[in-house]
């Protein structure tokens, strides 16, 4: 298998909403080979808006890969870690595509659109890799793989007011089922200004919300319509910085931090993505009992450990932080880290923050859980 793409030096791709972000005063960053808004006003304000009302995210950098055919479900059972053929029409499943040795190539969400049609959502930086791997693995199955990423835009509406806001968006018609009938990891269909709109109750913030997929030509109109509907409810546009602190509080992994080709799912606390007894799929592997495991860490004060900072037990380096920040919601530092198994329950860990050892406590993930 080829190595993951390394994004050679070239101009980053642009979202179809680039001009909208500029008009809203966004600052940008290169993320996964895409030029994306990192913030509009304040990281903290955008984070708190999502926790208290709602935020609107452009996630058009994500990849959309269509898999269809009489053996599409059987093929995805072979190609991915989960039991995809068991997913009912109208539902979605979090899963992974693994390397032959069990390392994580990418984490994915798969939607079953019809009996023989599945939509695979991949991370931006791994889109070409996932499409290439699926195309390679489909040989011998009555199924096809088509990367349709350039044809679609994806917008995420997240927060406790998300359902009220989406219900007020002008231009949405023929929706089925109703929004309150779309449960977590399920989807419904509608039209927006005459174009198909997929409404999925999924997200990456730890809050209730929706991800909205539609043809790229209607992206600007939908973005504006959602912002207009959300103005009375406190909706704000939100960038990657807020998205990162939100997902960290919710204990959600980020590829390149908690997930990589060097990590197998069980190490990251995600062994559940592989159904008990499932064998014969690409990436089936033996356990790695001595491998580092992912834990949560909390600390007091205001100084937060960041990705790459060492985790120590006494004088011994026992791990490394993968993601860390001062939690805007909780008011204290939180982090995820890979540590030696013997340190996973330790009570005497410290984080090396630029030469200063800060005491840290092991904490269960997620750090934050919304009231449902």
């Amino acid at each position: 298998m080829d190595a993951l793409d390394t994004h050679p030096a070239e101009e980053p791709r642009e979202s179809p909403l680039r001009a909208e972000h500029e008009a809203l005063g966004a600052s940008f960053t290169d993320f996964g080979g895409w030029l994306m808004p990192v913030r509009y006003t304040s990281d903290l304000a955008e984070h708190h808006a999502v926790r208290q009302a709602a935020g609107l995210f452009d996630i058009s950098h994500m990849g959309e890969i269509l898999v269809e055919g009489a053996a599409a479900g059987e093929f995805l059972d072979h190609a991915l870690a989960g039991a995809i053929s068991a997913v009912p029409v109208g539902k979605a499943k979090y899963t992974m595509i693994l390397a032959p040795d069990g390392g994580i190539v990418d984490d994915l969400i798969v939607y079953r659109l019809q009996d023989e049609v599945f939509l695979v959502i991949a991370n931006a930086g791994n889109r070409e890799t996932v499409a290439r791997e699926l195309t390679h693995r489909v040989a011998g199955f009555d199924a096809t793989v088509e990367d349709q990423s350039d044809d679609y835009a994806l917008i995420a509406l997240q927060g406790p007011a998300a359902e009220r806001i989406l219900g007020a968006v002008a231009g949405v018609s023929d929706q089925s089922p109703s929004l309150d009938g779309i449960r977590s990891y399920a989807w419904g269909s509608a039209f927006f200004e005459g174009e198909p709109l997929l409404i999925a109750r999924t997200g990456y913030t730890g809050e209730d919300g929706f991800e909205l997929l539609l043809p790229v030509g209607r992206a600007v109109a939908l973005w504006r319509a959602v912002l207009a509907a959300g103005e009375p409810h406190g909706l704000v546009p939100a960038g990657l910085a807020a998205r990162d602190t939100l997902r960290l509080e919710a204990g959600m992994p980020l590829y390149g931090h908690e997930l990589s080709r060097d990590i197998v799912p069980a190490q990251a606390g995600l062994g559940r993505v592989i159904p008990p007894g499932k064998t014969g799929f690409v990436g089936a592997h033996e356990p790695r009992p001595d491998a580092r495991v992912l834990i949560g860490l909390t600390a007091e004060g205001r100084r937060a450990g960041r990705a790459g900072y060492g985790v120590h037990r006494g004088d011994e380096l026992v791990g490394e932080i993968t993601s860390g920040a001062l939690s805007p919601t909780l008011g204290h530092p939180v982090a995820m880290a890979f540590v030696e198994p013997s340190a996973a329950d330790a009570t005497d860990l410290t984080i090396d923050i630029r030469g200063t050892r800060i005491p840290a406590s092991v904490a269960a993930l997620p750090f934050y859980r919304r009231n449902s």
Side-chain angles (χ1 to χ4, degrees):
M1 178 188 296
D2 293 339
L4 286 176
D5 297 336
T6 55
H7 307 303
E10 59 183 28
E11 289 297 315
R13 297 173 179 174
E14 294 184 358
S15 161
L17 296 168
R18 165 75 184 273
E20 299 299 300
H21 303 318
E22 289 181 332
L24 291 165
S27 56
F28 293 84
T29 189
D30 188 332
F31 182 79
W34 287 74
L35 191 65
M36 299 300 292
V38 65
R39 69 181 58 82
Y40 298 84
T41 55
S42 155
D43 302 354
L44 286 176
E46 293 165 22
H47 180 109
H48 288 310
V50 175
R51 290 279 182 251
Q52 298 166 6
L56 191 64
F57 299 85
D58 178 11
I59 53 173
S60 297
H61 56 306
M62 304 293 280
E64 292 83 33
I65 301 165
L66 199 67
V67 177
E68 56 185 325
E74 179 186 0
F75 157 60
L76 289 172
D77 285 348
H78 164 74
L80 306 181
I84 309 303
S85 63
V87 177
V89 173
K91 300 292 186 181
K93 190 173 188 65
Y94 177 79
T95 188
M96 294 180 177
I97 181 168
L98 306 179
D101 66 356
I104 300 168
V105 174
D106 200 13
D107 62 335
L108 314 165
I109 297 181
V110 180
Y111 301 87
R112 192 166 199 162
L113 305 184
Q114 302 173 26
D115 284 343
E116 299 180 357
V117 183
F118 297 81
L119 176 65
V120 178
I121 304 293
N123 286 301
N126 293 332
R127 164 190 158 184
E128 289 87 354
T129 300
V130 173
R132 183 173 63 245
E133 280 303 313
L134 290 176
T135 300
H136 173 72
R137 297 177 188 188
V138 78
F141 291 91
D142 183 8
T144 61
V145 175
E146 183 179 0
D147 185 352
Q148 297 188 343
S149 305
D150 293 337
D151 298 332
Y152 290 95
L154 194 57
I155 297 169
L157 173 62
Q158 300 283 297
E163 185 174 312
R164 294 196 303 276
I165 293 168
L166 188 54
V169 173
V172 176
S173 62
D174 297 326
Q175 183 186 314
S176 178
S178 62
L179 290 180
D180 61 3
I182 303 174
R183 301 302 182 186
S184 179
Y185 273 79
W187 62 270
S189 62
F191 286 87
F192 176 73
E193 296 186 347
E195 292 286 350
L197 173 66
L198 186 145
I199 302 171
R201 203 156 205 150
T202 48
Y204 194 51
T205 63
E207 294 296 337
D208 187 22
F210 301 90
E211 294 179 323
L212 311 172
L213 179 74
L214 80 168
V216 68
R218 287 291 185 271
V220 169
L222 180 62
W223 177 265
R224 293 176 177 177
V226 177
L227 284 178
E231 186 174 2
H233 301 281
L235 173 67
V236 303
L240 290 174
R243 186 169 162 87
D244 191 51
T245 51
L246 290 160
R247 69 92 192 168
L248 172 58
E249 290 181 346
M252 294 178 169
L254 175 64
Y255 197 88
H257 290 249
E258 290 73 41
L259 309 176
S260 75
R261 286 284 296 268
D262 297 322
I263 301 297
V264 300
Q267 286 179 257
L270 295 168
R272 65 182 182 278
V273 302
I274 303 174
K278 182 180 179 183
T279 60
F281 63 98
V282 179
H285 58 276
E286 295 297 323
R288 301 180 183 179
D290 297 325
R292 287 182 171 183
V293 295
L294 189 69
I295 62 169
L297 292 172
T298 60
E300 297 181 354
R302 310 290 290 178
R303 300 185 68 186
R306 305 291 181 176
Y309 287 13
V311 178
H312 294 259
R313 189 179 191 185
D315 294 329
E316 182 184 3
L317 178 67
V318 294
E320 183 177 291
I321 288 178
T322 53
S323 297
L326 178 63
S327 166
T329 303
L330 304 175
H332 58 73
V334 298
M336 290 190 281
F338 276 104
V339 301
E340 303 297 332
S342 60
D345 297 317
T347 59
D348 55 349
L349 298 179
T350 59
I351 300 170
D352 187 340
I353 301 180
R354 298 179 180 178
T356 300
R357 298 287 181 86
I358 304 297
S361 301
V362 176
L365 297 172
F367 302 107
Y368 165 87
R369 194 184 301 273
R370 69 182 175 91
N371 294 323
S372 54

